[in-house]
Amino acid sequence: MAFWKRRGQAGTLDRGRLPRHVAIIMDGNGRWAKGRGLPRTAGHAAGAETFRTIATHCKHLGIPYLTVYAFSTENWKRPKEEVSAIMGLLEKYLLEAAEKMAKDKIRLRFFGDLTPLSRELRLLCDETERISRSYESEIQVNICLNYGGRDEILRAARACARDCMDGNLDPDNFTEKDLARHLYSKDIPDPDLVIRPSGEVRISNFLLWQSAYAEYYFTQVLWPDFTPGELDRILGIYQRRQRRFGGV
Ligand code: IPE
Ligand code: IPE
Ligand code: MG
């Protein structure tokens, strides 16, 4: 028993059948804080720590792509103070990441429209991407920031329209591939597994195009309480599912 415990669930996973791409909606920070009588921002700070732990765990497992939902195009509706606290945490996180990345060798990318962010945050995002691009890392972590699935598809549609106007694309015959070339995810595989903690059973505008054939898993655990053990448990469930992609 003690031996099994020490090995954890990861020991029972089939390393050859791990998802290539895991995507997570990091939800439940506010309720986690509320449950402890803390301000919602304390939940976001705890959630940022969980992100670091889970990204490192994915790297150790050998999962090559992790995409996390950090801030949606709809999250601007929140009180100003909460939005600026989240942006402040992101800034703090990225400043630390610049130091730690060299050690962790985690390649970071950002998916979303960064233009409405502060100049400082935008520069930090650019700098983080630039520095980590050179890492021959086994993992790429995509942080969705001011990201919306519909917004992403709309932008890709506009880009295709421009290509058609320029005579580089045939409006009657362009393909899924032509459109996907303009998505933030253009050079990575679609997610195999999408996880949503916090008990909500909805997709909230996350990776709408890319998740067409993803496996979904919804867990009650709030994001700040999410552990590597919980991820291993979900990966075990994923490995027992049969994916058919419309076939038999
Ligand atoms: C997710 O946690 C973080 C963001 C959306 C930025 P929430 O802040 O949505 O937490 P709950 O859902 O209110 O508990
Ligand atoms: C989705 O969570 C966005 C992120 C986790 C960044 P929300 O908390 O914003 O989603 P809803 O409002 O419950 O659908
Ligand atoms: Mg939420």
Side-chain angles (χ1 to χ4, degrees), residues 26-31 40 44 70-71 75 78 82 86:
M26 303 191 292
D27 195 22
N29 296 348
R31 277 162 283 171
R40 290 178 58 85
H44 297 311
F71 194 88
N75 286 145
R78 296 187 177 204
E82 180 169 345
I86 293 171

Short mmCIF file of all heavy atoms in Angstrom, two decimals, residues 26-31 40 44 70-71 75 78 82 86, ligand 1:
data_model
loop_
_atom_site.label_atom_id
_atom_site.label_comp_id
_atom_site.label_asym_id
_atom_site.label_seq_id
_atom_site.Cartn_x
_atom_site.Cartn_y
_atom_site.Cartn_z
N MET A 26 -8.97 27.04 -16.11
CA MET A 26 -8.54 27.19 -14.70
C MET A 26 -9.63 27.94 -13.92
O MET A 26 -9.51 29.13 -13.64
CB MET A 26 -7.21 27.95 -14.64
CG MET A 26 -6.10 27.28 -15.45
SD MET A 26 -4.47 27.97 -15.15
CE MET A 26 -4.62 29.59 -15.84
N ASP A 27 -10.67 27.22 -13.54
CA ASP A 27 -11.83 27.89 -12.94
C ASP A 27 -12.03 27.50 -11.47
O ASP A 27 -11.68 26.40 -11.06
CB ASP A 27 -13.09 27.52 -13.75
CG ASP A 27 -14.27 28.43 -13.44
OD1 ASP A 27 -14.03 29.56 -12.95
OD2 ASP A 27 -15.41 28.02 -13.68
N GLY A 28 -12.61 28.43 -10.72
CA GLY A 28 -12.97 28.15 -9.32
C GLY A 28 -12.14 28.93 -8.31
O GLY A 28 -12.30 28.73 -7.11
N ASN A 29 -11.32 29.83 -8.80
CA ASN A 29 -10.47 30.62 -7.89
C ASN A 29 -11.29 31.44 -6.90
O ASN A 29 -10.97 31.52 -5.72
CB ASN A 29 -9.59 31.60 -8.70
CG ASN A 29 -8.60 30.89 -9.59
OD1 ASN A 29 -8.42 29.69 -9.47
ND2 ASN A 29 -7.97 31.63 -10.49
N GLY A 30 -12.34 32.08 -7.43
CA GLY A 30 -13.16 32.97 -6.59
C GLY A 30 -13.85 32.19 -5.48
O GLY A 30 -13.83 32.60 -4.31
N ARG A 31 -14.46 31.04 -5.85
CA ARG A 31 -15.17 30.24 -4.85
C ARG A 31 -14.20 29.65 -3.82
O ARG A 31 -14.52 29.52 -2.65
CB ARG A 31 -15.96 29.12 -5.55
CG ARG A 31 -17.30 29.59 -6.08
CD ARG A 31 -17.85 28.64 -7.11
NE ARG A 31 -17.19 28.80 -8.41
CZ ARG A 31 -17.37 27.98 -9.43
NH1 ARG A 31 -18.18 26.94 -9.31
NH2 ARG A 31 -16.75 28.20 -10.57
N ARG A 40 -11.41 37.49 -3.41
CA ARG A 40 -11.29 36.68 -4.64
C ARG A 40 -9.87 36.68 -5.20
O ARG A 40 -9.40 35.70 -5.75
CB ARG A 40 -12.26 37.21 -5.71
CG ARG A 40 -13.73 36.95 -5.40
CD ARG A 40 -14.60 37.55 -6.50
NE ARG A 40 -14.29 37.01 -7.83
CZ ARG A 40 -14.80 35.87 -8.29
NH1 ARG A 40 -15.65 35.18 -7.59
NH2 ARG A 40 -14.47 35.46 -9.50
N HIS A 44 -7.04 33.94 -6.99
CA HIS A 44 -6.26 34.03 -8.24
C HIS A 44 -4.77 33.79 -7.97
O HIS A 44 -4.08 33.16 -8.77
CB HIS A 44 -6.48 35.39 -8.91
CG HIS A 44 -7.90 35.61 -9.33
ND1 HIS A 44 -8.63 34.68 -10.05
CD2 HIS A 44 -8.75 36.65 -9.13
CE1 HIS A 44 -9.86 35.14 -10.27
NE2 HIS A 44 -9.96 36.34 -9.71
N ALA A 70 -6.64 31.53 -18.98
CA ALA A 70 -6.31 32.41 -17.86
C ALA A 70 -7.25 33.61 -17.77
O ALA A 70 -7.57 34.08 -16.68
CB ALA A 70 -4.87 32.89 -17.97
N PHE A 71 -7.66 34.14 -18.94
CA PHE A 71 -8.53 35.32 -18.95
C PHE A 71 -9.28 35.34 -20.28
O PHE A 71 -8.67 35.34 -21.34
CB PHE A 71 -7.68 36.59 -18.78
CG PHE A 71 -8.48 37.81 -18.45
CD1 PHE A 71 -8.78 38.13 -17.13
CD2 PHE A 71 -8.96 38.66 -19.45
CE1 PHE A 71 -9.54 39.25 -16.81
CE2 PHE A 71 -9.71 39.79 -19.15
CZ PHE A 71 -10.00 40.09 -17.82
N ASN A 75 -14.15 38.15 -19.55
CA ASN A 75 -13.77 38.44 -18.16
C ASN A 75 -13.59 39.94 -17.88
O ASN A 75 -13.50 40.34 -16.72
CB ASN A 75 -12.51 37.65 -17.74
CG ASN A 75 -12.77 36.18 -17.51
OD1 ASN A 75 -11.92 35.34 -17.79
ND2 ASN A 75 -13.95 35.85 -16.99
N ARG A 78 -15.90 41.84 -15.34
CA ARG A 78 -15.73 41.78 -13.87
C ARG A 78 -15.39 43.15 -13.31
O ARG A 78 -14.94 44.05 -14.05
CB ARG A 78 -14.62 40.78 -13.54
CG ARG A 78 -15.02 39.39 -13.98
CD ARG A 78 -14.04 38.36 -13.52
NE ARG A 78 -14.51 37.04 -13.91
CZ ARG A 78 -14.18 35.92 -13.33
NH1 ARG A 78 -13.32 35.93 -12.34
NH2 ARG A 78 -14.66 34.76 -13.75
N GLU A 82 -10.93 43.67 -9.67
CA GLU A 82 -10.56 42.26 -9.86
C GLU A 82 -9.73 42.09 -11.13
O GLU A 82 -8.73 41.39 -11.14
CB GLU A 82 -11.81 41.36 -9.91
CG GLU A 82 -11.42 39.89 -10.11
CD GLU A 82 -12.55 38.89 -9.92
OE1 GLU A 82 -13.60 39.27 -9.35
OE2 GLU A 82 -12.38 37.73 -10.34
N ILE A 86 -5.92 40.64 -11.37
CA ILE A 86 -5.52 39.50 -12.21
C ILE A 86 -4.35 39.91 -13.10
O ILE A 86 -3.36 39.19 -13.25
CB ILE A 86 -6.71 38.99 -13.06
CG1 ILE A 86 -7.78 38.38 -12.15
CG2 ILE A 86 -6.25 37.98 -14.09
CD1 ILE A 86 -9.09 38.04 -12.85
C1 IPE B 1 -11.13 31.53 -12.84
O1 IPE B 1 -11.69 31.57 -11.57
C2 IPE B 1 -10.18 32.67 -13.10
C3 IPE B 1 -10.65 33.63 -14.11
C4 IPE B 1 -11.75 33.54 -14.79
C5 IPE B 1 -9.80 34.78 -14.35
P1 IPE B 1 -12.97 32.45 -11.27
O2 IPE B 1 -12.55 33.80 -10.86
O3 IPE B 1 -13.92 32.39 -12.39
O4 IPE B 1 -13.56 31.67 -10.02
P2 IPE B 1 -15.08 31.41 -9.72
O5 IPE B 1 -15.64 30.70 -10.90
O6 IPE B 1 -15.73 32.74 -9.50
O7 IPE B 1 -15.07 30.55 -8.49
#
